[in-house]
Structure formats: structure tokens, C-alpha cells
Amino acid sequence: MNKNKVFITNDKGTLEEYESIIQKTSRAITEAFTNDRAYTGPVPFDLKKLVDVPMLPEKGIGFDGALEQTKKLVLPNFVRTSSTDYMAHLHSATLLETIAAELIISTFNQSMDSWDQSPVATEIEVQVVKQLCKLYGYDSNSDGVFTSGGSQSNTTGIFLARDWFCNKKLNYDVKKLGLPENYRKFRLYTSEISHFSMEKSAHMLGLGYDSVVKVPVDDRMKMDINALKSLIEKDKKDGNLPFCVVATVGTTDYGSIDPINEIAEICKANGMWFHCDAAYGSGAVMSDKYRCRIAGLEKADSITVDFHKMFMMPISCSCSLIKDASSFDPFELHADYLNREEDEEDGYTNLVSKSMQTTRRFDALKVWLSFQCRGKDGWNELIDTCVENAKYVYDSLGKRTGFARTCEPELSSIVFRLYDEKLSDEENDEVNKKVRRALIHQEGVVIGQTVYNGRVHLKFTLINPLTSHEKLDALLDLIKSLAK
């Protein structure tokens, strides 16, 4: 490769080199799939030694040399999320058309902060956001913006909740003046098993961990509504300031969905912002059969939607949807070099005015391309398959000896435990831990591990629609045999 030709231009030679590099890379990727296992690499200490090579040699080895190094050291040791033996996390296989979209995104390298850096990309994101708002039941007064992931989308929602509460309830401009003197009294309520981005957001927003009130869950791992009411009333009596409730629409471990409609009523009655962390469960909207399980999302003031979970798109791809577009005002700040006011008056949309980020990828293309490619019918089938696979495992575990189940799944996650009544709880914990490790390093199978009621449990996160019932039965058999 000519080192001076690094840009994609109309130069024929450069375009030919681009095509050659892409073809060589694609070939190297496909050749790396020598088996169906999710992981075939070494254990951590051996892997550290393997990749301990000079990163910046005195003289470059060229693309072909670097690709050979990558083929030797990197490609064989990836976790393969496309494998049906991978079911550890909300970390999905990726749809082929969205991988193609990634190539387009990287090649054209648009920056989604100002119109002159991303003309058609800006207009596509605007249209995608409008359609997403409609899909989740918002009216024409709503808006949204793409983000790096669920954590940033949650932070966006809580950020806007804080500023809305200060402006509307306290008549205080936090954007101009900073936090009010009574900021230590602010309270945000969320499930005790909600995502850790609640605490991280509170920290970054200057409210601290102590502002996050963890609400107990019931036996189905849903937020306890009566406990929520009691906690809010207690805080009000103590002189604290309840400003937001976050409902989890698909918890990380269980896929459990908090009571959306009931929480919406509580927020309305108490003058609080209602945010829904639907990073996981938002995918259910694509299913005719299961979208009822997330009914009420349109009542939220803000919604987190992740496309790199149940929507099976490459990382990163998330969106923060807002019921009232004017709630984005706290993010607006004009700069003469970027988002000039006269540009917006002339119809140039500068998306930086509603984003925490400045430079931002054109991730909306993945959604735009995939939705067109699959259509409603295709997406309906994908989501139904994942949800029904989880129900199949739950029912199958109920018929087997040597296993203990937790709550029945609402989405596509199953938490269970190998259990031998002859062993102590601590001994059963060790069996579950050892079986998960053996699956990774002996069988190339990657599943999850978590804690339920103080005891170690295993977890399947089933967001690969290629996973068959036969595959799941064989895996449960393997787990039982390893336990022996």
C-alpha cells in the first residue's frame, strides 16, 4: 500500500487500494471462523503474554504485515457473538446489513454535530428519530438523539429531569447558576436491580450516590409499587425533593419489566419526571405478540432505546427519546464555528444543540438500513423467536432434576442454578462457578453468571434468533454432565 494514499478520493489508484484492503480484510475475517465455538482462545494470563508485542515499530510493516499480525494474534481470540454458543450478556450477534452500514459509516466518516459535516446523515437521523418517536407512541412534539449507548441515554434522561425540575418546580436556572443550594435533597427512585448507570449519572450530575433511592423488588424482580409510594412519602415528610423515577424496562439479569403504567401515575401525582430505561426491552415493540409487555412507554418523559442489544446491531447504537422536544433546551449552546443561529433560521439542522456529545457517529444509518431491509414482518419473527426461546428454556428447566429456576422470563433472559440437595449452598455456589469456567475454556461456550438471593446463579441471554431448541437442550445436558 502506498503510504501517501490514505484517503478515499476520486483517484483511481486510491479507490482500487481501498477495494483491495476491504477484500483482504473480509477474507481474513471469514477464514477466522474455523468452528462454531464462541471462544477458542487462551486463559487470561496466556492471552496477556500472546499480545505483548511492539505496537509502534521503528519502521512500519505495511498493511499486509499488520493484517498478518491481526490474523495471528487477534482474530482467533475474539469472543464470537455470532455463535449460538454465546449467551452471556446483552451483547448480540449483528445483522449482516448493519455490518454493511458500519463500513459505510466508517468510510464516509460523517460527524453528526453540524449540518455541513453530515448533510444527508443529519436529515436521515432526523427522519429516523421521528419514526422512532411514533413507534414508541410519542406525538409530533417529541424528539430524540442518538447516543453512544444505554448509559449515556440514561444520563441524558436524568440530566434533563434534573434541569426540568429545577426550572419548572423550583424556578431556578441550573444551566446558568449551577446546582441550587438544596441539591443534596434531590431524590431519584429506581429498582434495587436497575442498571448501575443510575448511580454513575447521579455522580456525574453533581447529585451523588446518596440521591439514588433503591426501591425493593417483588418475587418477579419488578419494582414494588407500594414500596415506591412509601419511600416518596417518607422523603417528602423529611423535606427531601423527589424529582424523578426511573423504570427499568428489561433488567440486565432477568429481563423483568417494572410496572410502567402505575409508575407513570405516581410521577404525575407527585410532579416528577418519569424516565424509562428500555435499553433491553425496547426491542419488544417490534413484536405484534409481545409489545403489550412494554405498554405505557408513551407515558414516559424520556426513553432509553438500545439498538446494540435486542435489535442486534453493531456497537455502538442507542437513542434517547424525549416526549417534549423543548426539554432538550439545556443542551443548546451556540458557537460561531459550529451551530450558528442564522444557519438554523435558514433550515440547516445542527444536531449538536440536543446532544451531550459534539463529534458523534452516524449510527442512525444502521437503524434506517435494517428497518427497510427486514420490514415489520422480519422484525416480528426475530423478536418472537428470542422471547420464545427463553420461555422454552424456562419450561425445560422445570422438567429437569438438578436445576432451580428463578422468575419466569418476560423477554429473553433466563437465570437458573445447578442445585444438588446433598451439597451446602456454598458448595453449590462453587459448582456453578466451576461449570461456567469449564464451559468457556473446555467447550468454547460462554454463558453468564450472577447472584440471586445471595447465591450464585447461571444465566442465558438469548438474543440470537439462530439458536434452536435442540441447541438449548444439548447445552442444558452439557451443563448437567459438567456438574457431575
Side-chain angles (χ1 to χ4, degrees):
M1 182 181 75
N2 187 330
K3 293 182 180 179
N4 295 322
K5 291 186 176 181
V6 295
F7 303 109
I8 301 300
T9 68
N10 288 329
D11 180 271
K12 184 178 179 181
T14 306
L15 291 172
E16 287 176 347
E17 287 187 34
Y18 170 82
E19 189 171 10
S20 173
I21 285 173
I22 298 303
Q23 288 176 345
K24 289 177 181 177
T25 304
S26 176
R27 190 178 309 118
I29 292 170
T30 55
E31 289 173 353
F33 286 91
T34 57
N35 57 58
D36 296 330
R37 303 288 81 179
Y39 182 69
T40 56
V43 297
F45 290 114
D46 291 339
L47 189 58
K48 288 177 177 28
K49 293 176 184 177
L50 180 68
V51 299
D52 187 16
V53 297
M55 190 190 73
L56 186 64
E58 289 296 325
K59 186 175 181 181
I61 60 177
F63 177 77
D64 288 344
L67 182 61
E68 284 304 312
Q69 281 278 68
T70 304
K71 288 165 65 175
K72 177 183 176 183
L73 302 178
V74 181
L75 297 185
N77 299 313
F78 272 130
V79 163
R80 295 167 187 169
T81 59
S82 58
S83 170
T84 55
D85 282 332
Y86 185 81
M87 52 185 74
H89 303 283
L90 287 165
H91 181 191
S92 67
T94 48
L95 303 173
L96 286 175
E97 69 273 13
T98 61
I99 297 173
E102 280 286 354
L103 177 59
I104 297 170
I105 292 166
S106 298
T107 300
F108 286 93
N109 200 33
Q110 309 292 279
S111 183
M112 304 301 298
D113 39 337
S114 62
W115 192 93
D116 58 3
Q117 297 181 80
S118 54
V120 72
T122 294
E123 303 302 342
I124 289 289
E125 178 169 319
V126 169
Q127 289 301 316
V128 169
V129 165
K130 285 182 180 178
Q131 291 301 312
L132 290 174
C133 286
K134 184 177 179 181
L135 185 64
Y136 287 98
Y138 279 171
D139 61 26
S140 59
N141 192 44
S142 57
D143 203 351
V145 67
F146 273 74
T147 71
S148 64
S151 290
Q152 190 179 85
S153 291
N154 285 334
T155 301
T156 297
I158 296 169
F159 182 107
L160 298 178
R162 183 201 65 181
D163 280 33
W164 168 84
F165 184 79
C166 288
N167 289 325
K168 301 294 185 182
K169 303 297 180 179
L170 304 182
N171 195 28
Y172 181 89
D173 188 355
V174 68
K175 182 177 180 179
K176 180 180 179 180
L177 302 172
L179 292 175
E181 291 184 4
N182 58 355
Y183 74 92
R184 287 189 176 88
K185 294 182 178 294
F186 283 28
R187 294 293 181 267
L188 178 150
Y189 304 83
T190 186
S191 155
E192 64 181 342
I193 58 169
S194 64
H195 195 257
F196 75 158
S197 57
M198 303 303 126
E199 287 93 337
K200 292 185 75 171
S201 297
H203 172 206
M204 289 187 288
L205 295 173
L207 303 178
Y209 287 2
D210 287 349
S211 69
V212 180
V213 180
K214 289 303 189 76
V215 183
V217 295
D218 61 20
D219 57 0
R220 297 192 65 196
M221 311 311 287
K222 298 169 176 284
M223 187 188 292
D224 185 321
I225 291 298
N226 290 327
L228 174 62
K229 291 177 180 178
S230 296
L231 287 166
I232 292 173
E233 286 306 312
K234 182 180 184 302
D235 273 322
K236 289 167 73 173
K237 288 178 182 178
D238 290 343
N240 292 318
L241 299 171
F243 76 99
C244 178
V245 180
V246 178
T248 306
V249 185
T251 56
T252 303
D253 278 339
Y254 310 97
S256 48
I257 299 169
D258 288 338
I260 300 171
N261 289 297
E262 291 93 328
I263 296 172
E265 289 302 312
I266 292 171
C267 287
K268 184 178 179 181
N270 288 278
M272 301 167 69
W273 183 281
F274 180 30
H275 175 69
C276 279
D277 174 10
Y280 180 7
S282 52
V285 78
M286 308 300 276
S287 166
D288 292 338
K289 188 174 181 180
Y290 297 111
R291 72 161 57 98
C292 59
R293 296 185 178 180
I294 60 169
L297 271 183
E298 72 283 354
K299 297 177 181 178
D301 296 292
S302 51
I303 307 170
T304 288
V305 178
D306 261 15
F307 295 99
H308 52 233
K309 290 186 172 66
M310 211 169 185
F311 284 94
M312 295 166 273
M313 299 188 189
I315 298 167
S316 60
C317 196
S318 181
C319 191
S320 181
L321 301 179
I322 309 297
K323 180 184 284 188
D324 182 351
S326 67
S327 298
F328 271 130
D329 289 351
F331 287 139
E332 188 170 11
L333 181 63
H334 290 283
D336 291 337
Y337 56 83
L338 193 62
N339 57 335
R340 295 160 292 273
E341 292 187 55
E342 66 267 21
D343 283 357
E344 295 171 16
E345 292 170 359
D346 292 332
Y348 294 89
T349 301
N350 298 309
L351 295 177
V352 73
S353 297
K354 58 179 180 178
S355 174
M356 294 179 67
Q357 297 169 268
T358 304
T359 303
R360 192 164 54 81
R361 303 175 78 249
F362 180 29
D363 290 319
L365 180 64
K366 290 176 275 193
V367 180
W368 187 81
L369 187 62
S370 183
F371 277 26
Q372 291 186 81
C373 179
R374 303 276 168 171
K376 289 183 178 180
D377 58 337
W379 274 105
N380 190 75
E381 182 179 355
L382 290 175
I383 301 300
D384 283 4
T385 299
C386 293
V387 174
E388 286 162 9
N389 274 345
K391 180 64 164 60
Y392 178 82
V393 173
Y394 180 81
D395 290 343
S396 180
L397 287 168
K399 301 171 185 175
R400 292 169 176 261
T401 60
F403 291 98
R405 304 179 296 180
T406 62
C407 53
E408 186 171 356
E410 291 185 274
L411 294 172
S412 59
S413 293
I414 296 290
V415 175
F416 63 95
R417 172 176 168 85
L418 283 159
Y419 183 73
D420 185 339
E421 61 184 13
K422 297 176 183 178
L423 302 178
S424 69
D425 284 339
E426 290 76 14
E427 289 171 329
N428 275 309
D429 284 349
E430 289 304 310
V431 169
N432 281 273
K433 290 178 184 178
K434 290 178 179 179
V435 165
R436 189 185 72 89
R437 289 279 180 88
L439 284 171
I440 297 173
H441 297 297
Q442 296 176 27
E443 307 293 337
V445 178
V446 184
I447 68 170
Q449 178 181 310
T450 190
V451 173
Y452 174 80
N453 284 345
R455 304 265 61 101
V456 173
H457 280 65
L458 304 176
K459 179 176 69 169
F460 289 175
T461 306
L462 300 171
I463 48 178
N464 186 336
L466 296 180
T467 305
S468 66
H469 291 180
E470 291 77 15
K471 176 80 175 185
L472 293 166
D473 284 334
L475 180 53
L476 291 175
D477 290 341
L478 175 61
I479 289 171
K480 188 67 180 293
S481 67
L482 287 172
K484 295 178 180 179

